[in-house]
Amino acid sequence: MAWELDADRPIYAQLVERIQREIVSGKYQPGEKLPSVRDLAAVAAVKAFAELERSGLIMTQRTSGRTVTEDTELISNTREKLAAGHMRSFIDNMQELGYDTGEIRELLAKMQS
């Protein structure tokens, strides 16, 4: 099962959608047994570690397992990228509620005081 996980959405929601797609597309037939939670978790963990390694945040060493990169600039850049994604999502959600940029700033200021 190949995984394309969206970092901006909960994994459980993505799993629900994935399994729904596979049921309605016929990959899983009526009455067929689904993969176990353990199997799904193992696949997801392998994909997660592969993605983290591809991004450079972790490294796999044959004899010592996985380690976090020592590249502090990469860690900092990744932190900023994650923060920007969260902020974009927050702003989009607030705008869907009818707030404009100024109102969002006012709400944030109130929350900090």
Side-chain angles (χ1 to χ4, degrees):
M1 176 185 293
W3 290 67
E4 291 298 325
L5 297 175
D6 179 359
D8 294 330
R9 297 179 49 231
I11 291 173
Y12 78 88
Q14 294 176 66
L15 270 173
V16 167
E17 290 174 10
R18 173 78 183 237
I19 293 169
Q20 285 174 333
R21 264 196 324 269
E22 291 176 348
I23 289 171
V24 300
S25 72
K27 178 175 181 189
Y28 294 120
Q29 297 297 311
E32 182 178 351
K33 185 175 181 178
L34 293 171
S36 70
V37 171
R38 177 177 286 178
D39 290 343
L40 290 173
V43 170
V46 168
K47 175 66 179 176
F49 279 124
E51 181 63 24
L52 289 166
E53 190 165 359
R54 186 194 64 72
S55 74
L57 282 176
I58 67 170
M59 302 167 76
T60 301
Q61 316 251 332
R62 282 187 173 207
T63 57
S64 60
R66 293 179 179 94
T67 58
V68 175
T69 184
E70 294 180 10
D71 185 345
T72 56
E73 185 175 339
L74 176 62
I75 293 170
S76 179
N77 289 343
T78 302
R79 181 177 187 229
E80 286 181 28
K81 186 176 178 181
L82 289 170
H86 286 291
M87 292 301 295
R88 180 75 260 154
S89 178
F90 169 74
I91 291 167
D92 290 346
N93 289 333
M94 295 301 288
Q95 288 174 337
E96 284 179 18
L97 292 174
Y99 288 94
D100 64 29
T101 305
E103 291 171 318
I104 294 169
R105 285 188 180 126
E106 288 175 20
L107 285 171
L108 287 171
K110 284 181 189 177
M111 297 297 289
Q112 290 180 332
S113 57

